[in-house]
Amino acid sequence: MAEDEDSAEAIVSQVHRKIREAFNLFDVTSNKTVDVREIGTIIRSLGCFPTEGELHEIITEIEEEESTGSIRFEKFLPTMTKVLLERKFRPIPEDRLLQAFELLDPEKKGYLEPEELKKFMTQEGEPFSHDEMEEMLSAAVDPDKNVIFYKDFVGMMTYDDQ
């Protein structure tokens, strides 16, 4: 029995450490708060990909009653711990993402032009905002060829659960 408790404690401790590290990257003033606009990025960096509606619900849950534009670590930690332990908002598996990109590349070139991807990501499904699109393109576009080699990009986007 004690082993189960120890391993459960170890898992929670590891989850807390991951959350703290991700949060601290955005805590520029080191005062245990981050800008509310960074919460989505922090959550995604932890391998969770909620929709905009789900993200808004999380923010509403952890925001102060009087909106300050900041989120405190002690409010973020328990909510995010629960999200991670329940394995909510898990990403799409790598093979499914690759299939989606391949559908956008009927000529099987192995890459997409930034404008092609921008069109799909801002006009279909749950559209990306201009800022989200710019952030994604800055990570996705090969600087030498100015195209998106989507096999490489899918590898960057998928989350390793170890």
Side-chain angles (χ1 to χ4, degrees):
M1 177 98 169
E3 273 186 37
D4 288 343
E5 287 175 18
D6 288 345
S7 62
E9 277 182 32
I11 290 168
V12 170
S13 176
Q14 185 177 19
V15 165
H16 281 186
R17 184 181 47 77
K18 280 176 146 174
I19 294 168
R20 188 175 304 103
E21 287 171 0
F23 191 92
N24 287 344
L25 285 174
F26 292 90
D27 182 5
V28 291
T29 56
S30 299
N31 66 351
K32 296 191 184 289
T33 66
V34 296
D35 189 305
V36 69
R37 294 169 296 189
E38 303 289 3
I39 291 297
T41 305
I42 296 169
I43 290 172
R44 285 188 280 278
S45 78
L46 290 164
C48 298
F49 299 90
T51 65
E52 284 304 308
E54 291 164 335
L55 180 58
H56 183 72
E57 287 175 19
I58 293 170
I59 290 171
T60 300
E61 184 179 325
I62 60 178
E63 204 169 22
E64 299 297 319
E65 287 178 30
E66 292 276 323
S67 183
T68 62
S70 296
I71 300 293
R72 291 182 308 132
F73 180 71
E74 60 265 19
K75 296 272 284 198
F76 182 72
L77 182 65
T79 299
M80 203 59 220
T81 300
K82 186 173 184 243
V83 164
L84 288 179
L85 291 177
E86 290 176 358
R87 305 180 64 79
K88 288 173 97 177
F89 315 124
R90 302 309 295 164
I92 296 169
E94 187 170 348
D95 59 334
R96 296 235 353 253
L97 271 178
L98 200 51
Q99 287 174 339
F101 276 104
E102 287 169 347
L103 282 174
L104 303 178
D105 179 23
E107 297 160 23
K108 308 278 182 253
K109 300 175 295 204
Y111 65 85
L112 296 172
E113 301 286 337
E115 288 307 312
E116 290 176 290
L117 187 60
K118 191 182 275 191
K119 183 181 130 209
F120 289 115
M121 299 303 289
T122 57
Q123 296 175 6
E124 304 291 328
E126 187 171 321
F128 273 43
S129 70
H130 175 75
D131 289 346
E132 289 169 328
M133 197 65 235
E134 291 306 312
E135 186 177 334
M136 184 172 101
L137 287 176
S138 72
V141 174
D142 180 281
D144 299 325
K145 305 258 194 257
N146 197 36
V147 296
I148 299 144
F149 292 104
Y150 52 81
K151 284 184 181 161
D152 296 339
F153 186 56
V154 166
M156 285 174 21
M157 288 179 7
T158 51
Y159 180 71
D160 183 2
D161 220 0
Q162 305 313 326

